[in-house]
Amino acid sequence: MFHSYLACLFYNVFMYSGYLHNQYDVIVVGGGHAGCEAVLACAKLGLKVLLATLNVENIALQPCNPAVGGPAKSTLVREIDALGGVMGEVTDATYLQLKTLNSSKGPAVRALRAQSDKAEYSRYMRNLLENNENVFIKQCCITELKVENGEIVGAVDEFGAEYSARAVVLTTGTSLEGRIFVGLRSFSAGRLGEKAAIGLSDSLHKLGIETKKLKTGTPARVDKRTIDYAKMIIQPGDEELNFFSFKPNRPIRKTYPCYLTKTNEETHKIIRENLDKSPMYQGLIQGVGPRYCPSIEDKVVRFASNPSHHIFIEPEGLGTYETYIQGFSTSLPYDVQVRMIRSLPGLEKAHIIKPAYAVEYDYVPAIQTTHSLMSKKIKGLFFGGQINGTSGYEEAAAQGLIAGINAFNYINGSEMLELSRSSSYTGTLIDDLVTKDIQDPYRMLTSRSEYRLLLRQDNADERLTPIGHKLGLIDDEQFFRFEEKQRLIKEETKRLETVKIPANEETNKILAKYGEHLERGMRASELLKRPNIDYKIIQELDSQTKAIQIPRDVYEQIEVIIKYEGYIKRQEDQVNNAGKLEKFKIPDDIDYSKINHISSETKDKLSKIRPKDLAQASRIGGIKPADISVLMVLLDKHRI
Ligand SMILES: Cc1cc2nc3c(=O)[nH]c(=O)nc-3n(C[C@H](O)[C@H](O)[C@H](O)COP(=O)(O)OP(=O)(O)OC[C@H]3O[C@@H](n4cnc5c(N)ncnc54)[C@H](O)[C@@H]3O)c2cc1C
């Protein structure tokens, strides 16, 4: 009796919540870096999420370099963290090494990089997903999208199971119609050991969504026990650690070094002699590869006068002997790869665990989506990550988070989150994707931003935490700590303006250690502007400053604010000027064909991309300042 009552109760609860009918609020297709952020954002905001992925063992897999961060990418990770995403937390919990790159250079290019334990990273992320009661994981291949009256209503998997939802986020990575190449051999796969996603591209085509092909590649993995590290140069991490996440209690772990070796004339000779066996050079691969992460054969051909290239040997994890050969990606045949690898100092006896390969896959050019990452054609359909034409975990995660947040906003009827270029690298990345017709895998670089001194890794929290908190992804406790940090920065920056450093013998004795000298007394804030002076030196010079205990991230930000005050002000002025063009909103239904005085090429481009304002229109490749002037006059007079 009691059992049948329980069964009935469970049945009703399940029927009510829709689980027996495969009803969800959101379906996220793909459990990679974009997918995981999208799922967790939606789930934290209270939506029931189905995560459909080809292989649950590969959740948040790093199929290429087991590393997170580096130039521009570290800023993306800090932005993800500030908005309430998880990549920073997962990286901080699973690192093998942490290192701040370019630490002696300007703040715009300083970048934290982590070598990750690949298996731990994946496991940690899976735990986050599985411990969220709103997340339901399913191993399956989504082959079809269901659309009614221009709105997404669900998806179908390879087994014929139907799932209904009000929003779908596609984060399919390199899997769509993926094909792996090793020399002239090729087979269907999204990445080594995982099948390709067949069918979904066709479904997209039927819905009027265009796909194109891109290519990427990865180096071989070798057995650590067969590497002679004595012939390489050790690359240790930092001793004083910086972290990605603003979350407290980050674990201090034992760290491990990477190693450096180099290619030589013998390596280059093997490559040159075998170029005819490359699928790229034979034209078997049509897709364009990542310009900023070329294969070793590309480097040898393009930089023919360079006698050697740096190759970094990096651990993949503590529980494995698998070791990554960074900078040595190739799609040459396996036997050639063996000879190439064994020509490198320290790798003469290397045993290859996994071969290098290239993969060609379908992506959906992002000019078909809006800044919210929603399809312009189908309401409720979002795209995030490599499917939008990018390359890299951090780029994928940032987009996945925005796509997830906007899937929630769409369902909720709230305003879409569209980040501006001046607010973040995330906003810059998305604006580039939806505005420019990307031809090769897009990677985030500091040079892509016109505001890079404003968009630093150290101030990502200041720029985006209030947004994350307002969305409900940053809890009150974290927001309180954030506000405390901002208060400390403001107060201490102001206080330093009142601290006088006298030009006496004692001061100059200390300053001499740093190659500096004071002729006249000055304020601490003025002295801090000198390139050789940092906050710790001011503490040495002034006992009151020394007595103030402020954390490293706080005083480092104060240093940047004071040292680069002039440059920062100039970029802020630039932002204000650009804001003027943003104010010219372009109506959605504008008919460009009817506008006189602009070329037909300009009309085509504007009709295809449909920019939301003049600022976006001005960034479209080939649109001239004269075209913008014409549009400005028309919009101003409301004559369109
Ligand atoms: C061989 C290779 C080389 C790479 N080289 C580089 C590099 O040099 N530099 C660099 O920055 N990045 C490189 N990357 C890219 C990096 O791995 C990706 O940019 C990043 O992982 C993209 O994240 P994502 O979430 O968009 O997709 P992924 O991490 O690829 O995740 C996609 C997920 O979608 C799932 N999926 C796909 N289709 C379906 C479907 N129909 N139904 C259900 N599930 C589906 C897959 O199972 C997978 O879990 C490389 C990737 C590969 C595979």
Side-chain angles (χ1 to χ4, degrees), residues 246 461 465 476-492 549-551 553-554 557-558:
F246 197 67
D461 53 354
T465 305
D476 289 344
E477 187 274 331
Q478 184 168 334
F479 193 61
F480 174 74
R481 283 191 302 109
F482 158 77
E483 286 190 315
E484 265 306 284
K485 181 184 164 193
Q486 298 310 310
R487 186 187 58 77
L488 266 181
I489 291 171
K490 267 202 193 98
E491 282 180 8
E492 183 58 1
Q549 295 288 320
I550 56 172
D553 57 343
V554 171
Q557 207 169 327
I558 292 171

Side-chain angles (χ1 to χ4, degrees), residues 427-439:
T428 309
L429 161 73
I430 293 174
D431 182 64
D432 279 347
L433 292 177
V434 305
T435 305
K436 297 171 182 163
D437 213 352
I438 302 295
Q439 301 298 332

